[in-house]
Amino acid sequence: MGDPNLECTSEMKQRSQEEKLLGGEAKQQGDLLGAERHFTNAILLQPRSAVLYGKRAVCLRELGHFRHAVRDCDMALQSNPDFPLAYHVRGACHYALHEEAQAKEDLQTALRYEPDAASTEMLRRITGGGAPNSSAASSSSS
């Protein structure tokens, strides 16, 4: 997508932040295509931002563009390998694509970083309804 070697000026970072906010507003209003466009503009200005790739991946997943969302999650994880949102979204996309082994691995990783009900429930479905194999998941119900 963007040039990962691009040196971001303060003006570029500011414009990227503006695009990110516009993307968030568009998503909140249900305009997923508009949100995706704004997040793409932000990524072009700040191509090493895991958060921006993660936000666009959420839009892509909600639009049903699962493979594209997986690629964005991969890009986010290149920038920040400890980014739970990227693991959750990528796991959800793999689940939607019936790639249960990859989904299970990503969701378990997401739960280790940040327990949440959505990842826990998806993982339960993958593992046949039992409790997910993650100590983080059990701590989320406390």
Side-chain angles (χ1 to χ4, degrees):
M1 164 93 308
D3 179 1
N5 298 316
L6 180 70
E7 288 302 319
C8 296
T9 65
S10 60
E11 183 179 309
M12 291 167 72
K13 287 179 184 177
Q14 180 180 354
R15 184 66 189 133
S16 176
Q17 184 65 20
E18 291 168 6
E19 288 287 345
K20 175 183 160 190
L21 292 173
L22 290 170
E25 290 172 10
K27 185 175 182 308
Q28 209 168 29
Q29 295 171 0
D31 180 8
L32 293 173
L33 290 173
E36 184 215 355
R37 186 181 66 249
H38 286 296
F39 293 135
T40 297
N41 291 340
I43 288 167
L44 290 170
L45 294 163
Q46 211 171 354
R48 285 177 262 168
S49 172
V51 170
L52 294 174
Y53 279 106
K55 287 184 175 292
R56 189 173 69 177
V58 169
C59 292
L60 291 166
R61 181 194 70 198
E62 290 180 20
L63 287 165
H65 301 278
F66 303 119
R67 292 274 178 229
H68 292 240
V70 166
R71 276 197 300 265
D72 272 8
C73 290
D74 291 343
M75 293 298 293
L77 292 168
Q78 281 181 2
S79 294
N80 180 0
D82 300 327
F83 190 37
L85 175 67
Y87 288 107
H88 171 77
V89 173
R90 192 169 72 177
C93 290
H94 283 306
Y95 182 73
L97 293 164
H98 306 288
E99 299 167 347
E100 283 82 11
Q102 295 98 320
K104 181 179 175 183
E105 183 178 333
D106 281 337
L107 293 168
Q108 286 175 331
T109 302
L111 287 168
R112 277 197 302 275
Y113 286 112
E114 189 174 277
D116 75 29
S119 292
T120 301
E121 179 55 32
M122 208 174 305
L123 191 55
R124 280 192 179 123
R125 283 183 277 183
I126 292 168
T127 59
N133 184 16
S134 170
S135 59
S138 61
S139 69
S140 68
S141 61
S142 332

